[in-house]
């Protein structure tokens, strides 16, 4: 069975455009009350996260956000927001959605952040 993790991330994509758009909507609805999207892109963000995996980002966000109710979003909503963040940082969309499972996300390195100019 073909798996998105078998192909190079730039070729396979980590998420779908539709998922990143859902993440953008969730970010605007829930996250933007406390955060600007600019906090999650650019040189500092890339430097902090490029040696980690999508699992690390998922765990960090799902355990601490939203600040007034950590962990209160559905796992799929967290995956959608992460897809939006990854798109902002230049990772390409593909044909498969980013999984909403922390263990599956171990296979998604963030080393390509910032390389496509997102």
């Amino acid at each position: 069975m073909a798996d998105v993790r078998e192909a190079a991330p730039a070729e396979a994509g980590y998420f779908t455009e539709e998922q990143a758009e859902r993440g953008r909507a969730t970010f605007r609805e829930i996250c933007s009350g406390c955060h600007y999207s600019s906090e999650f892109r650019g040189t500092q963000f890339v430097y902090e996260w490029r040696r980690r995996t999508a699992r690390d980002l998922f765990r960090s966000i799902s355990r601490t956000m939203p600040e007034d109710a950590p962990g209160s979003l559905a796992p799929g909503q967290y995956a959608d927001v992460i897809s939006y963040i990854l798109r902002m940082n230049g990772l390409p969309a593909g044909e498969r959605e980013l999984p909403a499972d922390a263990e599956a996300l171990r296979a998604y390195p963030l080393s390509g952040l910032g390389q496509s100019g997102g």
Side-chain angles (χ1 to χ4, degrees):
M1 180 168 114
D3 187 346
V4 71
R5 293 167 285 171
E6 293 173 1
E11 295 171 12
Y14 277 27
F15 51 86
T16 64
E17 278 295 330
E18 180 180 88
Q19 185 179 28
E21 280 301 311
R22 287 193 315 261
R24 180 176 177 236
T26 300
F27 186 94
R28 284 184 170 180
E29 179 183 335
I30 296 171
C31 310
S32 65
C34 298
H35 297 284
Y36 294 107
S37 60
S38 61
E39 294 175 57
F40 301 96
R41 67 174 173 236
T43 306
Q44 185 60 39
F45 182 86
V46 168
Y47 180 78
E48 183 175 341
W49 290 97
R50 70 179 177 198
R51 292 181 190 97
R52 299 180 186 189
T53 66
R55 175 184 182 253
D56 299 319
L57 187 55
F58 182 90
R59 290 179 73 177
S60 176
I61 292 172
S62 66
R63 289 177 175 178
T64 62
M65 296 293 139
E67 193 171 274
D68 61 348
S72 62
L73 302 181
Q77 288 177 291
Y78 287 112
D80 293 350
V81 170
I82 291 167
S83 295
Y84 171 57
I85 291 169
L86 298 181
R87 184 177 71 182
M88 284 192 297
N89 285 282
L91 289 182
E95 295 184 16
R96 294 184 182 201
E97 291 200 352
L98 188 72
D101 174 72
E103 291 310 307
L105 291 171
R106 283 179 186 251
Y108 293 79
L110 300 180
S111 56
L113 290 176
Q115 294 182 4
S116 296

